[in-house]
């Protein structure tokens, strides 16, 4: 199963494709979609959408996992990040790709084993899980890979809970 993990943002969208092969998780491709702050918001959203479409068409994931938004301070940032998150979800939905959402706590629990883990701990576990030489940069990329790892760990359990059997 190929999974695309997304860490949404308007300036930077982290993405990470992993393949779940039995109990192994293998990195396929990872990076970021970046937009310029001086560009009009609607143009930035279009850039994110088109880049997401290109990635989906190129790497053909079976599922997409997205981090749920949690903001307690800057409402303006929350709206723009939510819009960017929406266009990535739309790109996947147009292709019939299943979409799962995870809270930051769920991602940390799945990757580190502790829901209140520090960001550096999550990033280091991503590096170890995927046998990478270094933590992917920017941080959004490591976060996206963490979301994909979370889904890889959770999808088998979710399938069993939903009565689905994959052979």
């Amino acid at each position: 199963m190929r999974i695309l993990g997304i860490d949404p943002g308007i300036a930077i969208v982290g993405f990470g494709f992993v393949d779940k092969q039995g109990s192994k998780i293998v990195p396929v491709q990872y990076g970021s979609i970046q937009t310029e702050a001086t560009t009009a918001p609607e143009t930035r959203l279009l850039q994110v959408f088109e880049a997401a479409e290109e990635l989906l068409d190129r790497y053909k994931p079976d599922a997409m996992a997205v981090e749920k938004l949690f903001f307690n301070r800057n409402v303006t940032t929350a709206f723009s990040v939510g819009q960017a998150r929406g266009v990535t979800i739309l790109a996947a939905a147009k292709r019939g790709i299943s979409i799962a959402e995870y809270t930051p706590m769920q991602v940390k629990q799945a990757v580190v084993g502790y829901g209140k883990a520090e960001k550096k701990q999550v990033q280091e576990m991503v590096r170890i899980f995927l046998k990478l030489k270094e933590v992917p940069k920017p941080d959004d990329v490591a976060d996206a890979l963490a979301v994909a790892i979370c889904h890889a760990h959770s999808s088998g359990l979710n399938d069993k809970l939903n009565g689905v059997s994959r052979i």
Side-chain angles (χ1 to χ4, degrees):
M1 173 171 60
R2 179 159 293 171
I3 302 163
L4 167 60
I6 293 285
D7 181 43
I10 189 66
I12 302 173
V13 176
F15 68 85
F17 290 90
V18 299
D19 283 347
K20 182 179 178 188
Q21 301 169 345
S23 62
K24 291 186 353 183
I25 302 170
V26 180
V28 175
Q29 182 62 274
Y30 51 89
S32 63
I33 302 165
Q34 299 188 22
T35 66
E36 291 293 325
T38 56
T39 306
E42 63 275 12
T43 303
R44 293 175 88 181
L45 290 171
L46 180 61
Q47 290 169 345
V48 169
F49 180 73
E50 289 176 341
E53 284 193 310
E54 186 177 318
L55 288 167
L56 292 166
D57 291 344
R58 183 174 197 181
Y59 294 102
K60 303 191 182 327
D62 301 299
M64 183 170 90
V66 184
E67 189 169 83
K68 287 185 180 178
L69 297 182
F70 176 77
F71 283 93
N72 59 3
R73 291 193 190 115
N74 191 334
V75 175
T76 304
T77 301
F79 282 131
S80 63
V81 171
Q83 290 172 330
R85 182 176 179 276
V87 299
T88 59
I89 290 171
L90 175 62
K94 276 183 62 177
R95 287 155 179 75
I97 297 168
S98 68
I99 300 161
E101 298 176 277
Y102 298 95
T103 66
M105 188 175 276
Q106 287 173 309
V107 173
K108 291 174 182 179
Q109 180 69 39
V111 175
V112 179
Y114 177 60
K116 295 183 180 179
E118 297 291 322
K119 193 172 192 71
K120 295 279 186 211
Q121 291 174 294
V122 175
Q123 293 171 345
E124 183 60 18
M125 287 305 295
V126 165
R127 186 191 69 74
I128 291 167
F129 265 123
L130 300 179
K131 297 177 176 62
L132 304 174
K133 291 182 182 176
E134 53 191 40
V135 172
K137 296 291 181 197
D139 291 351
D140 311 78
V141 178
D143 293 346
L145 287 165
V147 175
I149 292 168
C150 175
H151 187 68
H153 288 315
S154 302
S155 63
L157 176 61
N158 291 341
D159 289 347
K160 287 178 183 166
L161 291 173
N162 292 327
V164 176
S165 176
R166 293 183 192 254
I167 297 178

